[in-house]
Amino acid sequence: MSNEFTYRITTTRFDENYSPSKNSRTTTNFANLARGEHRQQNLRRTLSMINHRFNDLARRDNPTGDRFSVELEIVSAELQFSSDGTDHRFPLIEVLDMQIVDRETGARIPGIVGNNFSSYVRDFDFSVRLPAVNEGSSEFTVPGDFGDLHGKLFQHFLDSEAYRERFEVEPVICISVSTSRTYRRTGHHHPTLGVEYQQDDYSLTDEYFRKMGLQVRYFLPPGGVAPLAFYFRGDLLSDYTDLQLIGTVSVMETFQRIYRPEIYNATSPAAEIYRPTLEHEDYSPTPIIYDRVERSQLAKKQGTYTEERFINPHRELLEQWAARYPVLVG
């Protein structure tokens, strides 16, 4: 059954001229930045922050702090399948790919694919299914199969011919730490990723990504103020070069400074025992306009779209495919 699902990959350059395509999720964080009258200014400032942070971390043989620049592409994966004799397509996920440009040598160095992660099916799970399960309930409940379909689709995509033909390495997804968990600094220090933290328990997001076959580790990069969550397959510390890891940190820490300045643009760095909160008032907002309220509202809208256009019409096919598709849990 697994060969019934195939994938089509398209890419869009993410630069100061970027405009979201009609198939892009409007809650995708980089799409949110590219809307409204300040769109080009937002994008220009974001890219400048990324390049500055990259050079700040890549100081070796970089005395003037401007040797490198980062070029980004949005990678969109479309699921293709047949149902009831009709061919269908559905936008499955979007991630970021990067190229690191060495201005001194002219070399173009492949970065890590993944970084930001966006998914219509995840919108359905978190913004439609989970609220429906808990409506009218006094105790928060997570279904035992929560995230199963999404996790299997994600792993099937990574193992697909479309992914393997285009990307040589496993993805790394990098997001914010959870405000529902407490993190404790360990004695481990990585020269590129910084100080490692460990959480007191797995968050719902951790468990969701685990069903995608991804492990998680938390690091506070040099010069940063809060740990980042790194989700990966394989070995985070040995499968990638220092420049590749720096690329992921520079891109995703920049986005988090914009999206969650209370955590990632705080005035003081995380302490040995750290509980992140969006209620923190000692922080500096960035000059980049980002509508966090609108994003949360659109997540429900897009989750409903997924339910109506993908989950409900093809439920039997999806359930049959998921039951037969073997999956590795991270």
Side-chain angles (χ1 to χ4, degrees), residues 124 304 306-316 318:
F124 164 73
T304 301
T306 303
E307 181 180 38
E308 295 174 349
R309 300 293 183 90
F310 183 58
I311 301 296
N312 287 345
H314 309 293
R315 186 178 298 275
E316 184 177 356
L318 293 171

Side-chain angles (χ1 to χ4, degrees), residues 1 4-5 81-84 88 149 311 313-323:
M1 291 284 289
E4 293 180 359
F5 288 171
F81 61 100
S82 295
S83 178
D84 298 325
H88 298 274
L149 174 63
I311 301 296
H314 309 293
R315 186 178 298 275
E316 184 177 356
L317 172 66
L318 293 171
E319 289 176 351
Q320 291 175 354
W321 177 85

Side-chain angles (χ1 to χ4, degrees), residues 41-211:
Q41 185 180 64
N42 278 349
L43 295 169
R44 191 179 297 121
R45 286 174 170 173
T46 299
L47 295 167
S48 177
M49 288 171 63
I50 290 171
N51 287 330
H52 182 271
R53 184 60 168 137
F54 189 102
N55 284 285
D56 180 55
L57 291 170
R59 298 302 302 182
R60 183 178 178 181
D61 299 325
N62 187 11
T64 58
D66 60 358
R67 177 172 175 173
F68 300 99
S69 62
V70 175
E71 295 182 356
L72 296 172
E73 281 191 325
I74 301 166
V75 177
S76 303
E78 185 179 61
L79 177 65
Q80 302 177 130
F81 61 100
S82 295
S83 178
D84 298 325
T86 304
D87 292 335
H88 298 274
R89 293 180 176 181
F90 189 80
L92 189 63
I93 65 171
E94 284 185 338
V95 293
L96 285 175
D97 190 23
M98 74 178 73
Q99 291 279 318
I100 301 159
V101 180
D102 186 336
R103 292 169 172 163
E104 184 175 301
T105 66
R108 299 177 64 83
I109 305 161
I112 300 173
V113 65
N115 304 289
N116 193 86
F117 179 75
S118 130
S119 162
Y120 271 102
V121 178
R122 185 174 65 168
D123 278 345
F124 164 73
D125 280 339
F126 279 93
S127 299
V128 176
R129 187 186 180 199
L130 201 57
V133 167
N134 287 279
E135 186 176 4
S137 175
S138 59
E139 184 175 344
F140 183 73
T141 301
V142 179
D145 64 347
F146 184 71
D148 283 4
L149 174 63
H150 181 269
K152 291 182 178 186
L153 288 170
F154 178 77
Q155 293 192 57
H156 187 253
F157 169 62
L158 296 191
D159 295 332
S160 70
E161 183 178 349
Y163 183 90
R164 293 298 170 186
E165 284 183 348
R166 189 175 189 95
F167 305 109
E168 296 181 357
V169 298
E170 300 282 7
V172 174
I173 310 299
C174 181
I175 65 174
S176 170
V177 287
S178 172
T179 56
S180 67
R181 293 292 177 260
T182 299
Y183 300 83
R184 183 182 297 271
R185 191 183 305 161
T186 72
H188 179 235
H189 181 275
H190 186 268
T192 300
L193 296 178
V195 178
E196 185 166 17
Y197 278 71
Q198 288 184 344
Q199 79 278 45
D200 58 345
D201 197 3
Y202 289 108
S203 68
L204 182 56
T205 297
D206 293 339
E207 294 289 356
Y208 196 79
F209 275 83
R210 186 179 68 86
K211 291 190 175 183

Side-chain angles (χ1 to χ4, degrees), residues 232-247:
F232 57 95
R233 296 207 304 187
D235 190 328
L236 177 66
L237 305 188
S238 62
D239 289 350
Y240 311 97
T241 67
D242 287 345
L243 285 181
Q244 287 177 321
L245 293 174
I246 287 172

